[in-house]
Amino acid sequence: MNTPLDELQWKSPEWIQAFGLRTDNVLDYFAESPFFDKTSNNHVIKMQRQFSQMPGAPAAGAPAPNGGEGGNGQYGGGASMLPHQDMGSGQGEFAHVDAARRDVLARYPLYAGLERELSKLRGVEYVLACVREPDFWIVKKQERSDTTHTRVLQDYYIIGANVYQAPTLFNVVQSRLMSTNYHLSQTIKNLHKLTVFQPSQGVQFKSTPSGHAETSMPTGNTVASVPATANTGGVLSMNGAGSTVAGQTASTAQFESNRTRDTITQDLMDKLMITSIKSKPEYIQ
């Protein structure tokens, strides 16, 4: 299989139709998936039970105590019939496991018996870590070094009929960083399209058609119309005689009309230079 396991979704509707999916057989369902390691201790226990009938265990096909079919699954029948202590003393017996798993072991004697068998072996094993019936379970893959010490290798989620492998922390952080970098790059690219360079004012945002407004300024006996934009820093006020203001207003109007062009001509540059030398505009914030 070339698909990485953390990108794989597996389900078996045929298996669920034949046996159903409940907490007492969810590990049987997981064992059919490509996530299951056939060299694990769980598979060793399954093989041992197939060739040795445990004393007191129901015959194959007989109803199991937890509602499953006896002999049907990996842990059906025999595991729940193992001799075990009562639940009160079982809390002390399984004190080394986390609270969620202790709750599972206390509620399901089937998995309490399986835990006792797994504690006798060393190596890779699968345990039911969390139950939220009727459609959510968490299976842990762990490596057992002794009776009470294990190291978690991988988590798996069973949601409805689908089985997923939990991604590693490295993959989660890598995915988030790549997503953040992509959106920042797109934002900078879009902002660059909205800016324009002007020799007199430097880089500023472009004016949109909806942002233009006509502002009238008195210039002696006449009134000159100057386009004003909503995204400029303030209002341009001129000091001096009426003729000077009128001339500057005309130059500003011509500059604003030419601003939408893609290129700045040499003639426009000369007029801008003359305007900047003769006038001293003040920007009121």
Side-chain angles (χ1 to χ4, degrees):
M1 182 178 299
N2 297 326
T3 306
L5 290 180
D6 58 353
E7 299 179 6
L8 181 66
Q9 170 188 317
W10 179 87
K11 64 179 179 179
S12 178
E14 297 81 6
W15 195 97
I16 295 179
Q17 185 176 5
F19 306 108
L21 186 58
R22 305 174 302 275
T23 300
D24 59 314
N25 66 356
V26 69
L27 279 185
D28 299 332
Y29 181 67
F30 178 80
E32 301 296 324
S33 70
F35 305 106
F36 186 76
D37 185 358
K38 299 297 184 181
T39 65
S40 64
N41 294 337
N42 299 66
H43 195 69
V44 172
I45 295 175
K46 176 183 178 181
M47 293 296 101
Q48 291 176 350
R49 289 176 179 171
Q50 285 184 347
F51 298 102
S52 61
Q53 184 71 28
M54 299 187 64
N66 286 320
E69 293 293 330
N72 241 354
Q74 180 177 346
Y75 314 109
S80 61
M81 301 305 294
L82 289 173
H84 57 273
Q85 305 172 7
D86 56 85
M87 287 298 101
S89 60
Q91 293 296 333
E93 179 186 2
F94 302 121
H96 59 280
V97 302
D98 57 87
R101 283 201 58 211
R102 281 201 303 269
D103 181 65
V104 173
L105 297 176
R107 292 167 54 191
Y108 300 96
L110 171 71
Y111 293 109
L114 174 64
E115 180 72 17
R116 295 186 182 93
E117 288 199 62
L118 290 174
S119 63
K120 301 174 184 177
L121 305 175
R122 303 294 179 268
V124 176
E125 63 187 27
Y126 295 90
V127 295
L128 187 62
C130 181
V131 175
R132 195 189 69 185
E133 290 184 324
D135 57 358
F136 181 78
W137 298 269
I138 297 179
V139 176
K140 284 185 180 294
K141 179 182 180 181
Q142 58 188 21
E143 184 179 12
R144 183 176 294 274
S145 56
D146 56 40
T147 305
T148 59
H149 293 84
T150 58
R151 180 172 64 94
V152 177
L153 302 178
Q154 190 67 58
D155 290 341
Y156 303 91
Y157 298 95
I158 302 176
I159 305 175
N162 302 313
V163 183
Y164 308 88
Q165 175 176 306
T168 62
L169 180 60
F170 173 80
N171 290 336
V172 172
V173 174
Q174 183 186 45
S175 175
R176 297 297 186 270
L177 289 177
M178 291 181 64
S179 177
T180 302
N181 180 67
Y182 170 77
H183 290 294
L184 284 177
S185 300
Q186 293 299 314
T187 301
I188 293 174
K189 185 183 297 184
N190 293 332
L191 286 176
H192 182 71
K193 296 178 181 178
L194 298 176
T195 58
V196 62
F197 174 77
Q198 299 179 11
S200 61
Q201 298 183 3
V203 179
Q204 64 178 4
F205 286 101
K206 292 180 181 179
S207 302
T208 59
S210 59
H212 283 286
E214 294 294 324
T215 303
S216 298
M217 296 179 59
T219 56
N221 298 328
T222 60
V223 176
S225 297
V226 181
T229 58
N231 56 358
T232 55
V235 179
L236 183 65
S237 65
M238 301 294 183
N239 295 328
S243 59
T244 304
V245 175
Q248 294 175 355
T249 302
S251 300
T252 306
Q254 184 177 2
F255 170 71
E256 291 290 344
S257 63
N258 294 331
R259 190 172 62 174
T260 57
R261 298 179 182 177
D262 297 334
T263 60
I264 300 178
T265 62
Q266 185 64 35
D267 183 48
L268 179 58
M269 289 293 296
D270 294 339
K271 291 181 180 180
L272 287 173
M273 185 64 68
I274 295 173
T275 303
S276 62
I277 293 174
K278 291 184 177 181
S279 63
K280 295 182 179 180
E282 298 177 0
Y283 293 91
I284 301 175
Q285 300 294 336

